[in-house]
Amino acid sequence: MDRIVQGMHSGEVLKRVREAKGYFITNTARDLSQSDFKNRILLHTDLLAADPRERSGYFSLEITGGASVHVDILRKQVDPFLKLKLLREKMPNTMFQTLCRGVNLFGYRPYPQNVIRLTVREFAKYVDVWRVFDFLNHVPNMQAVFEEVQKAGKLLEPSICFSTGPQHTDEYYVKKVGEILEVTGQDISLCIKNHGGLGTPKRIGELVRAIKDKFPELVVHYHGHNTDGNDIGRITAAVVNGANIVDAADHAFTGYFGPPPILSVIQTLKDYGYTAVGVDESAVIETSEVLRGQRQYYEYFESQFKGFLPTVQIHKLPGGAMGSSFEQAVKGKFLNKMPEILHEELPKVQQELGNWWSVTPGSQILWTTAVSNVQGGERYGNCSGDLKNLLLGKYGPFPFYCPEDWIYEKAFGPDWRKIVEEQGGIEKIEDIDIDKERRVLQDRLGYEPTEQQLVTYLQHPNDAVEFFKFEEKFGKVYVLPPSIVFKRGGFALGETLQFVDHNGKDHIIEIGPAQKNEDGATSIYLNVDHYQRVFSMAAETKDEGVAREVAMSKKEIQDLAKVGDVRAPFGANVCEISVAEGQDVAAGDKLVVLEAMKMQTPLLAAVAGKVARIHAKVGDALKPGGKIIELACEVEPLQCAKK
């Protein structure tokens, strides 16, 4: 059969898949990057692999979405739209695929409807296959994305997130598929999103068969992780029982927590009499030969734990969260407590909070709660703002059962029933004034932004502005290879760097000299391909960008809040200042929002007063006890404390 290519209408794509004799493969490069390399695989590396990947004949290449849009601008200094444009030039036939978190889009919390629709319209100019999920499997949370994808004529791929336990039956999932089809119609592909790599091959085979028995014409796409080393078995069972498309990745970069190797999938299924439709095995092999030399530069981002983890069947942490959780454990100095967190506390939290699906943002809620329970010493003694929103039903209804009353009381206090009654339920997020946001972005940048810059900004406002300013000052970083971007130990004056770019062109960079100016700034001279460049670096400020440690107990921080001295209760970044100096606030008013491990927690005023001074600013990194806001209390300090 003729190859499925980008630009085809979704109806034609589905027709060809249904008629094919065999199964199709999606190369999940984005998922591999997130799961095994903390999302750090650079565009430079993907461009090197573009030609053989294009010739490999995949159903699609998952190359954007999930956390990658954020990490592109935050850690890799590349415009997520430019990435798609450059890859499209090198891969004109391959369909590009994304992972979208429904109402959370490519972020970590719900967005207004008009932002959702604008974002989908812009990305749909490059993205052909839209895998859409919700961590509670709540279909209304995905509906706006469904509608915009189908309007654009792109292939919509709603997901049912999979897990294990007594509630996770074939009957439940088949019913959920029916709910999706009532909204979307039959012209979709359906993803079984096994993000943790859970269950046995037998269990996955049974689920695929149950869905195909009920909906025989439905195109089923199986996605799993190889955390326990058993996903090729699950893929095989899925295909034998009727799955049309499966996910795997380039073997040169596969590891422990992401997808399994494409070639191993092909070789295994051949023995069962199943052919990978349209796949050129020689190009699959060539891709890994191109990539193999690149892996050494990403070694620093591989997980601190090596080897497969069959215990994922206990803790259920998804592949995309494994590496980052170990990284947080190293930075937070609790790596020694990981067995307790993973094998004891996390399974307990899973059950106590409803046994739903550990995938973004639910995985962050479960993970941060388990860590807080172990580190804080008091279970649910320091509930995050996102956990409170979950308990209030802001993300959607619990699918199976609600947490017990004592957890609500821990989160909200003795008046928790009243709080849940007054504040509970999905909160309607009003549309924002996009033209106003465009003007705000223009003011912050000093020039008129493009529509794509606006979309990036609406997803991650502060990080987007920092990225745009960085790129304006320093240029396009994507041209640099990982050997330069991730070079450890800094760059010495007089050092010469040589590299070949993704187009095969040689480059040379000579570093130095450096000159300190009268204003304290330093001018760094570079010879780039024999052309001189000068970069001015501002004078260093003592402790600039360093979060200073403040030795202070939890009780001391709480007591200070009662007299108007608001401190950070835990290590976090400031993502929102909700008040201004001179503003009157009442007890319970939101003062600031802190973000840690992708979870946002609002700090509320413990007393009424006037904002006397704001010590922190958006983007600051704070350690526990770090100063944030001072309130001038309306009563004497002793009385404040008694309140």
Side-chain angles (χ1 to χ4, degrees):
M1 64 178 295
D2 293 333
R3 178 178 176 179
I4 292 172
V5 296
Q6 77 88 19
M8 282 184 178
H9 191 275
S10 60
E12 176 63 19
V13 172
L14 292 170
K15 180 175 180 291
R16 294 193 180 203
V17 172
R18 291 184 182 114
E19 293 174 351
K21 304 298 182 184
Y23 66 97
F24 293 80
I25 295 179
T26 287
N27 183 324
T28 49
R30 193 267 338 151
D31 194 8
L32 176 71
S33 176
Q34 177 166 338
S35 299
D36 286 316
F37 299 94
K38 301 184 178 72
N39 238 325
R40 294 308 206 284
I41 304 300
L42 298 180
L43 173 59
H44 185 281
T45 298
D46 285 323
L47 287 169
L48 283 178
D51 178 61
R53 277 179 177 165
E54 166 75 353
R55 289 185 279 107
S56 294
Y58 298 120
F59 173 77
S60 61
L61 173 70
E62 190 208 30
I63 198 63
T64 188
S68 74
V69 173
H70 189 206
V71 179
D72 279 347
I73 61 174
L74 183 66
R75 302 285 183 225
K76 298 191 285 188
Q77 268 68 51
V78 64
D79 187 314
F81 286 101
L82 177 63
K83 175 173 80 172
L84 292 170
K85 179 182 178 183
L86 292 172
L87 286 169
R88 173 57 69 220
E89 290 172 358
K90 288 181 172 287
M91 304 182 71
N93 293 315
T94 304
M95 293 199 298
F96 288 166
Q97 181 170 311
T98 190
L99 178 68
C100 179
R101 299 162 179 159
V103 73
N104 299 312
L105 287 174
F106 307 121
Y108 314 105
R109 52 204 47 87
Y111 290 94
Q113 291 283 302
N114 60 343
V115 171
I116 294 171
R117 294 178 185 279
L118 174 63
T119 301
V120 173
R121 286 197 298 270
E122 282 301 312
F123 273 94
K125 294 173 181 176
Y126 300 95
V127 176
D128 309 285
V129 183
W130 286 75
R131 178 174 292 166
V132 188
F133 75 94
D134 178 73
F135 81 99
L136 291 176
N137 277 338
H138 187 51
V139 177
N141 282 346
M142 301 183 276
Q143 192 159 345
V145 178
F146 289 174
E147 292 171 359
E148 290 300 325
V149 171
Q150 291 184 313
K151 282 180 188 176
K154 304 298 184 176
L155 179 57
L156 175 62
E157 186 169 284
S159 300
I160 49 169
C161 296
F162 174 79
S163 190
T164 53
Q167 297 83 15
H168 296 269
T169 62
D170 288 346
E171 290 76 16
Y172 168 79
Y173 287 114
V174 170
K175 181 181 177 184
K176 187 59 63 174
V177 173
E179 291 177 20
I180 290 171
L181 293 175
E182 285 178 8
V183 174
T184 64
Q186 295 284 337
D187 283 339
I188 62 165
S189 58
L190 176 90
C191 177
I192 298 174
K193 183 172 169 55
N194 189 7
H195 42 275
L198 303 178
T200 63
K202 179 175 181 290
R203 175 71 193 97
I204 294 302
E206 289 171 347
L207 177 58
V208 172
R209 176 48 52 200
I211 293 171
K212 294 293 280 192
D213 283 347
K214 180 68 174 179
F215 307 103
E217 293 302 308
L218 184 62
V219 170
V220 173
H221 191 158
Y222 172 77
H223 166 81
H225 281 184
N226 204 33
T227 306
D228 64 349
N230 203 20
D231 208 51
I232 291 179
R234 288 184 286 264
I235 287 172
T236 301
V239 171
V240 168
N241 283 279
N244 307 88
I245 315 166
V246 297
D247 285 359
D250 298 296
H251 57 266
F253 268 36
T254 49
Y256 315 110
F257 309 133
I262 292 164
L263 203 57
S264 298
V265 170
I266 293 172
Q267 292 166 344
T268 300
L269 281 166
K270 271 184 184 177
D271 249 10
Y272 285 83
Y274 293 89
T275 302
V277 178
V279 173
D280 182 336
E281 290 184 41
S282 63
V284 172
I285 294 169
E286 184 183 340
T287 304
S288 278
E289 289 172 348
V290 169
L291 289 173
R292 193 169 300 284
Q294 295 275 296
R295 184 163 184 163
Q296 60 181 312
Y297 305 117
Y298 297 104
E299 182 181 9
Y300 179 71
F301 301 107
E302 295 193 54
S303 173
Q304 286 79 5
F305 275 29
K306 306 298 183 187
F308 296 111
L309 282 183
T311 53
V312 70
Q313 305 299 333
I314 300 169
H315 60 72
K316 302 182 182 179
L317 200 63
M322 291 300 301
S324 59
S325 68
F326 288 121
E327 182 179 36
Q328 290 160 11
V330 170
K331 291 179 179 178
K333 299 179 181 177
F334 59 88
L335 189 62
N336 62 315
K337 295 184 179 179
M338 283 295 280
E340 177 186 358
I341 293 170
L342 288 177
H343 305 149
E344 297 177 30
E345 187 60 27
L346 194 51
K348 197 182 299 183
V349 168
Q350 279 259 6
Q351 292 300 316
E352 290 170 346
L353 294 184
N355 196 26
W356 32 266
W357 299 270
S358 181
V359 62
T360 306
S363 52
Q364 282 87 354
I365 295 173
L366 295 170
W367 164 251
T368 54
T369 301
V371 171
S372 176
N373 287 354
V374 170
Q375 291 286 84
E378 180 186 0
R379 301 191 73 240
Y380 299 99
N382 185 26
C383 293
S384 69
D386 293 278
L387 174 54
K388 290 178 180 178
N389 284 336
L390 174 78
L391 294 171
L392 288 170
K394 300 296 184 187
Y395 294 104
F398 286 98
F400 304 121
Y401 57 88
C402 291
E404 294 183 9
D405 292 356
W406 68 269
I407 295 177
Y408 281 91
E409 188 166 356
K410 281 278 191 178
F412 301 109
D415 294 331
W416 67 269
R417 292 182 191 277
K418 181 181 178 183
I419 292 172
V420 171
E421 183 180 345
E422 293 177 350
Q423 301 179 25
I426 295 179
E427 187 175 358
K428 179 174 172 54
I429 302 174
E430 298 295 332
D431 284 353
I432 63 171
D433 186 337
I434 290 180
D435 286 334
K436 179 181 177 182
E437 293 301 318
R438 184 183 284 105
R439 292 192 295 272
V440 169
L441 178 57
Q442 182 170 344
D443 288 342
R444 294 182 68 176
L445 294 179
Y447 58 85
E448 186 175 350
T450 66
E451 202 73 358
Q452 293 176 353
Q453 284 179 314
L454 176 64
V455 165
T456 306
Y457 168 77
L458 291 173
Q459 294 287 293
H460 304 287
N462 295 309
D463 293 329
V465 170
E466 290 299 314
F467 164 69
F468 296 142
K469 289 183 176 179
F470 175 93
E471 192 172 66
E472 184 182 16
K473 182 175 182 180
F474 295 108
K476 309 289 187 185
V477 173
Y478 77 85
V479 299
L480 296 172
S483 59
I484 304 294
V485 175
F486 296 135
K487 181 176 182 294
R488 304 186 70 190
F491 301 94
L493 291 176
E495 187 173 1
T496 298
L497 307 172
Q498 293 179 291
F499 67 92
V500 179
D501 67 19
H502 57 272
N503 289 317
K505 183 179 178 181
D506 290 311
H507 298 276
I508 183 169
I509 301 175
E510 298 168 293
I511 301 175
Q515 173 182 307
K516 196 160 189 175
N517 305 326
E518 292 181 0
D519 60 0
T522 300
S523 293
I524 305 290
Y525 293 82
L526 301 179
N527 278 318
V528 181
D529 293 342
H530 310 297
Y531 289 92
Q532 191 174 81
R533 301 284 189 273
V534 183
F535 294 95
S536 181
M537 305 297 176
E540 285 190 25
T541 303
K542 189 177 181 181
D543 295 332
E544 183 178 12
V546 178
R548 286 171 285 184
E549 190 79 52
V550 180
M552 194 172 290
S553 70
K554 179 179 176 181
K555 185 177 185 305
E556 287 173 325
I557 293 171
Q558 290 172 340
D559 287 343
L560 284 173
K562 295 173 183 176
V563 295
D565 187 352
V566 182
R567 306 289 186 109
F570 48 82
N573 293 321
V574 180
C575 64
E576 179 186 317
I577 302 289
S578 309
V579 294
E581 290 185 358
Q583 181 178 332
D584 291 322
V585 297
D589 283 355
K590 184 170 69 174
L591 301 175
V592 64
V593 179
L594 301 180
E595 186 171 50
M597 294 187 284
K598 300 179 183 176
M599 295 288 98
Q600 291 191 353
T601 300
L603 296 189
L604 310 181
V607 293
K610 187 185 291 287
V611 179
R613 187 175 179 190
I614 299 176
H615 293 276
K617 63 181 184 297
V618 171
D620 280 357
L622 301 174
K623 289 288 179 71
K627 279 181 167 289
I628 303 177
I629 287 174
E630 287 181 36
L631 297 178
C633 289
E634 295 178 344
V635 290
E636 292 300 314
L638 182 59
Q639 293 172 298
C640 284
K642 286 180 179 177
K643 285 192 173 184

